[in-house]
Amino acid sequence: MPDAVEVEDVTRVFEPRKKKDERVVALDEVSLTIPEGEIHGLLGPNGAGKTTLVKILSTVLLPTSGRARVCGHDVVEETKAVRPLIGIVFGGERGLYWRLTGRQNLEYWGALYRLPPAAVRERTRTLLERVGLADRADQRVEQYSRGMKQRLHLARGLIGDAKVLFLDEPTTGMDPIAGREFRTLIGELKGEGRTILLATHDMVEAETVCDRVTLIDRGKIIATESPRSLGHVISRFQRVDVEGAPEPVLGRIAALEGVSAVTRTEDGGARIEVSEEGATAEVLRRLVDAGVTSVRTSLPSLEEVYVQLIGERGLEV
Amino acid sequence: MRAFAAGFRLQLRIIRSDPDYFMPLVPVPLFAVAFLAIIEHAGRRDLAEYALMAPVLIALWALSLSASGEIVQGDRWSGTLEPGVASPSSFPAVVLGRVFAVTSVALFAFVEVWIVGRLLFGIPIEIHHPTAFVLTVLASSAAMAGTATIMAALFVLARSARTFQNSLSYPFYVLGGVLVPVSLLPDWLEPLSAGVFLSWSAGLLRDTLQPDAIRDVPLRLGVILGLGVLGFAAGQLLLHRILRRVRTSGELAAA
């Protein structure tokens, strides 16, 4: 069985339209494989190439070179085979007919996915309930809040019963509760066996729902791992956070072989970072011998990995 | 067919929610008054069908061309073009359905001229050949929709499309014999006029309002439909190429 998504050395260059513009390499020989049923996060700053990749996989943008396939079908040569298999949710408020109601929007998109009229009506009703818009179904979209529009976007992405979903910043504009409900919905979709590519800035979202994440920056893939093991990319070993450790004990631990740093934290505790295999066990033994019992080991969070690898570029893209 | 129907229904709903679409129907009664006043003043009531059908055909052309030009470009600006293109349905079929809906609305112009003719001038529209009349209206609407898909495609590419669209009106009213019969135009214009479906529609529509027997109805209907199909084929080809081009250039979505 082919993978749900296969991307092989895809490059996308935007040629300048005016002389003063610069040539932009949005994707630079990107390769990525997503097996069926996986929720895959695509993380990166603005301009990293996330949306460009999603658009290529959605058949609305052609790659400059390389190949991409969805469920074994080439996204350039076999668009007719690809399109019934995919659902797209582009972020933001655009992509809906604002003068029509939520129900009318979904009925239109359902018809484009070649569902029989009765099935369109039933599926529209079910999806509006699923995304919490049943009570506002017959209101014009222009009267919806940003979060409601985003939920309608989601419903539109699901109307065709797609096997593979491409979600580009799907929680933009959602409040925290709607965001949490969205993550529950993603879990349900995974339970239904769908494959999801989720392009997002939201580390918590990626860490919570994704089986694996790909970090992308300036059109290049930096790493692809599960959110938990991605910490190994910047630190192969655990860190030890302690509370109430006496200064002399910390000083002796800092001198141990394999301990790379001991730093005081703002809450009065300390973080011990190890750089060699086996060092964590020795650090823990020393702490316990010294009567320190408030100890926690951890890997770097996804956010720390992101900041470390992408760099703190501020607003620069 | 499902894509066509989806496009048709969508556009009717959009039109219902936006009164701007009805604007080209506003001058129809005024045109009718002006044309009928001229023939009344000249004592040529026998030309009433010209004065009555001209505003209808002008509305059909103006509304179809202006609204259809906005369809693809409007989707591009609203961000609905990308999901539309990425759906399994044929996008040109959806566009055709939408254009057809616009064309159907233009048929309200018949009601307007009927009211003006009847109430202000005491001239009723008498349809002496109802079957031929209905078939001509349907064929003309289909041909108009087919032709208008060219405009829908052109609007994606050319910023000057609106100027082009505006400049298309009067030459086609002349070539289409909308008010002045083609037979009265210089001879060298006649071959050009024969390539414009509007001239065949105008002639046949006027004939259905006359009590005399109509000649070659199937042939003339066939020509109207054939020219419409040619227009649609050209529009579809153009749309296909333009979509390919904007997928390559990354301009499918407007910023």
Side-chain angles (χ1 to χ4, degrees):
Chain A
M1 188 183 292
D3 286 310
V5 175
E6 299 163 84
V7 179
E8 277 177 37
D9 299 324
V10 164
T11 294
R12 172 67 215 202
V13 178
F14 290 97
E15 298 294 345
R17 292 170 66 189
K18 295 175 188 167
K19 277 185 182 172
K20 62 176 183 179
D21 293 342
E22 286 182 14
R23 187 172 183 264
V24 177
V25 181
L27 293 174
D28 190 359
E29 296 189 349
V30 164
S31 295
L32 176 68
T33 302
I34 306 174
E36 199 178 303
E38 179 172 288
I39 301 178
H40 195 101
L42 198 55
L43 280 172
N46 293 335
K50 305 186 298 290
T51 299
T52 301
L53 182 57
V54 168
K55 286 188 175 182
I56 287 172
L57 291 170
S58 310
T59 76
V60 297
L61 184 66
L62 299 177
T64 306
S65 64
R67 292 176 72 86
R69 282 181 287 271
V70 173
C71 299
H73 301 291
D74 191 285
V75 297
V76 176
E77 305 297 333
E78 299 172 85
T79 52
K80 281 187 179 172
V82 172
R83 287 172 179 167
L85 301 172
I86 61 172
I88 317 162
V89 178
F90 292 125
E93 299 193 29
R94 297 165 78 238
L96 298 165
Y97 292 99
W98 283 33
R99 284 180 176 272
L100 303 189
T101 66
R103 190 190 306 279
Q104 288 171 338
N105 265 279
L106 287 188
E107 284 177 354
Y108 169 65
W109 294 107
L112 290 197
Y113 277 83
R114 296 172 177 166
L115 298 174
V120 169
R121 284 193 295 276
E122 177 56 23
R123 198 154 175 77
T124 296
R125 191 187 59 75
T126 311
L127 282 170
L128 285 167
E129 277 176 15
R130 196 170 186 180
V131 298
L133 289 174
D135 293 342
R136 311 289 289 272
D138 296 311
Q139 248 178 25
R140 282 189 184 188
V141 170
E142 63 191 357
Q143 295 171 329
Y144 283 13
S145 68
R146 194 170 177 180
M148 288 164 71
K149 286 181 194 133
Q150 202 55 50
R151 281 186 272 164
L152 189 61
H153 268 300
L154 262 177
R156 195 202 61 203
L158 296 171
I159 193 85
D161 203 18
K163 284 180 74 175
V164 182
L165 281 164
F166 299 120
L167 313 180
D168 190 3
E169 306 285 354
T171 49
T172 306
M174 281 189 190
D175 59 43
I177 293 171
R180 198 164 62 185
E181 284 168 1
F182 163 76
R183 291 193 277 277
T184 306
L185 175 62
I186 293 289
E188 290 170 12
L189 295 172
K190 180 179 168 63
E192 293 166 10
R194 298 181 211 272
T195 307
I196 298 171
L197 177 62
L198 171 67
T200 182
H201 282 118
D202 190 331
M203 302 297 146
V204 176
E205 187 172 281
E207 206 153 20
T208 313
V209 302
C210 293
D211 299 310
R212 287 192 306 154
V213 293
T214 289
L215 290 185
I216 185 167
D217 187 32
R218 297 179 197 263
K220 283 183 178 290
I221 286 183
I222 296 171
T224 298
E225 294 282 347
S226 73
R228 278 177 175 277
S229 57
L230 199 57
H232 289 301
V233 175
I234 60 167
S235 172
R236 288 185 57 224
F237 307 104
Q238 290 174 310
R239 293 97 50 93
V240 182
D241 293 310
V242 296
E243 284 175 26
E247 201 60 47
V249 175
L250 290 176
R252 285 195 293 277
I253 287 174
L256 282 174
E257 197 172 335
V259 173
S260 56
V262 176
T263 48
R264 278 288 177 189
T265 55
E266 284 178 5
D267 58 3
R271 168 165 287 181
I272 303 159
E273 293 185 44
V274 298
S275 57
E276 282 182 20
E277 205 157 356
T280 306
E282 180 60 21
V283 168
L284 291 175
R285 196 178 59 74
R286 295 278 182 116
L287 288 168
V288 173
D289 286 350
V292 180
T293 52
S294 182
V295 178
R296 187 167 62 89
T297 60
S298 65
L299 281 168
S301 70
L302 188 55
E303 186 164 353
E304 286 173 277
V305 177
Y306 180 90
V307 171
Q308 179 86 22
L309 292 180
I310 305 288
E312 294 184 75
R313 283 198 250 120
L315 293 175
E316 186 194 345
V317 293
Chain B
M1 195 61 198
R2 203 169 278 171
F4 175 88
F8 186 83
R9 198 165 48 246
L10 172 80
Q11 194 62 32
L12 282 187
R13 284 172 165 172
I14 290 173
I15 290 170
R16 208 168 57 185
S17 70
D18 186 356
D20 285 357
Y21 277 94
F22 294 99
M23 287 307 285
L25 294 176
V26 171
V28 168
L30 304 176
F31 278 131
V33 167
F35 297 153
L36 284 170
I38 291 168
I39 62 151
E40 283 283 281
H41 183 72
R44 294 294 304 272
R45 254 195 188 210
D46 56 309
L47 296 177
E49 67 270 20
Y50 282 87
L52 290 167
M53 283 302 106
V56 174
L57 292 167
I58 288 172
L60 185 71
W61 183 266
L63 187 65
S64 302
L65 240 60
S66 66
S68 61
E70 307 288 345
I71 284 172
V72 179
Q73 187 66 338
D75 271 14
R76 197 168 170 220
W77 282 105
S78 68
T80 46
L81 183 58
E82 283 185 334
V85 168
S87 79
S89 289
S90 156
F91 189 68
V94 174
V95 171
L96 183 68
R98 294 182 65 177
V99 172
F100 206 86
V102 172
T103 308
S104 308
V105 170
L107 299 180
F108 277 114
F110 277 112
V111 180
E112 291 180 285
V113 296
W114 185 85
I115 292 171
V116 169
R118 181 91 195 182
L119 297 185
L120 299 185
F121 293 87
I123 302 172
I125 296 181
E126 282 184 52
I127 301 167
H128 292 279
H129 305 277
T131 309
F133 176 81
V134 170
L135 288 175
T136 308
V137 169
L138 288 175
S140 302
S141 302
M144 189 68 247
T147 308
T149 54
I150 299 175
M151 193 50 67
L154 276 180
F155 253 65
V156 181
L157 273 193
R159 288 185 182 172
S160 57
R162 186 172 294 284
T163 313
F164 178 58
Q165 178 193 48
N166 287 336
S167 64
L168 274 182
S169 304
Y170 286 94
F172 276 85
Y173 298 155
V174 173
L175 286 174
V178 167
L179 181 63
V180 179
V182 176
S183 57
L184 297 181
L185 298 176
D187 290 347
W188 60 271
L189 276 177
E190 283 195 34
L192 278 177
S193 178
V196 178
F197 84 88
L198 213 51
S199 67
W200 297 84
S201 297
L204 198 48
L205 271 178
R206 284 192 289 256
D207 285 356
T208 62
L209 304 184
Q210 300 274 17
D212 309 334
I214 313 175
R215 285 182 299 112
D216 305 324
V217 175
L219 175 71
R220 293 161 78 184
L221 283 174
V223 173
I224 295 170
L225 284 172
L227 289 170
V229 167
L230 275 180
F232 177 61
Q236 192 173 29
L237 186 70
L238 199 58
L239 200 53
H240 182 74
R241 289 199 170 188
I242 286 169
L243 287 177
R244 176 88 189 179
R245 181 171 154 175
V246 292
R247 280 174 71 210
T248 306
S249 64
E251 296 172 283
L252 198 56

